[in-house]
Amino acid sequence: MSKNSEQGMNEFALLDPEEGLPLFYPFVAPEAKEELLDTLNSRWIGQGPKVELFEKKFSEILGSKNKFIATGSGTDSLHLAYLLAGIKAGDEVITPVFTCTATNLPLLYEGATPVFTDIDPETLNINFNDIEHRITKKTKAIVAVDYGGIPAKYDDLLEICKKYNLKLIADCAQSIGSKYKNLSACEYADFTTYSFQAIKTITTSDGGMLSIKDPNLVEKAKRLRWFGIDRSSKQKGNWENDIKELGYKYQMTDFAACLGLSALNHLPILIKKRRDLLKTYVENIKHDDVEVLQKDNDPDYYVCPWLCTLIVKKNRFALMKKLRKFSVESAQVHYRNDRYSIFGGRVKDLPNMDLLEDKYLVLPLHHKVEISDCLKICRIINEGW
Ligand SMILES: Cc1ncc(COP(=O)(O)O)c(C=O)c1O
């Protein structure tokens, strides 16, 4: 009897890695332990020099002149981005209906309204053609999400933001390393956010990063990250005992930065592995009822995949069941956000989302998956379900 059935879990409960191929697996670099020990033996275990080093290394890897500030999570970074973009109660923000809820929940923290926008069926990203008619006098910003690692069409989005004087916020939680027309999202967007949550391409166990285009906002971002206090001035002995802005405790710790610093050394290899796995799925899945979502056949896109998503034209659950029979985990992972009551109920005019909501399925794609595993999964799919 499998552990899952012993524990009374249902057929799609998380798969124990000992029993098959799980959908996600965190990457911890071999040198992380040494890095952590170094921090344990030092004075700083909270936000200290390693956080600064991680910010520097991360910006160097992206080759960006923007300022980067590390945070406690991708969600923290998004909230800071919304605050810095000046989003307030009563404002509207154009945002994709299909994403992790973390993209949209921080808009509710501020009393702003997420205006859900349809998906592009080729990428499941925000549908550029569905944006303009949703813009009103209350619209303050557009949020784009690079679903599964496929970048949004940032040049078009930037153009529309300029036309209507809106801020562009890129949620790149799933797309570290990806580029659109040879540029990272942070070169287009006013604010770009990243996540280092446990199962992301690189992880700090929990953590995030915020890239800021306008250098004048960097000090404010740092204050908002730390209770509204100018921490570096305080550390220099200038302690003016006043807080003028509502700040948060959104900093990254040196502990987390240790994991991030050691993982960054492996980022190129991790990305290559993910790209090879995706290519294997694309080239070997040959079933009329399945398409693999990808864009690497399009020169505008450089995709660093976090997910391999299938569009399954018929009976997705039967395919999930069959994969599970062969000890392969698959799942939807994300859901249309208007299914959650907190966002105010289902939106009616999202035809692509309606069409695809029962058709997408995510397959394992991480450093523990071998090409032979991918080929096995392709065979299972090609034999039908
Ligand atoms: C698209 C997207 N945005 C935001 C987040 C939130 O990141 P975090 O979990 O680090 O807060 C995630 C992942 O969790 C995500 O996938």
Side-chain angles (χ1 to χ4, degrees), residues 73-75 78 99-100 102-103 145 171 173-174 195 197 200 207 334:
S73 69
T75 313
L78 281 157
T99 179
C100 172
T103 308
V145 177
D171 177 349
Q174 304 183 1
S195 164
Q197 174 231 0
K200 291 296 183 323
H334 301 302

Side-chain angles (χ1 to χ4, degrees), residues 23-91:
L23 197 46
F24 297 110
Y25 206 103
F27 173 77
V28 179
E31 61 270 39
K33 284 183 187 150
E34 210 178 306
E35 191 81 54
L36 282 164
L37 203 59
D38 179 55
T39 289
L40 272 174
N41 289 328
S42 78
R43 184 190 160 194
W44 291 101
I45 58 170
Q47 185 197 335
K50 294 230 170 141
V51 169
E52 220 167 294
L53 197 60
F54 182 54
E55 292 168 341
K56 188 166 170 285
K57 257 196 155 184
F58 190 79
S59 67
E60 281 167 7
I61 279 177
L62 287 196
S64 175
K65 296 213 169 4
N66 292 353
K67 271 286 173 200
F68 288 73
I69 73 158
T71 62
S73 69
T75 313
D76 295 352
S77 301
L78 281 157
H79 189 201
L80 286 180
Y82 299 155
L83 290 164
L84 295 165
I87 294 165
K88 312 182 291 308
D91 290 340

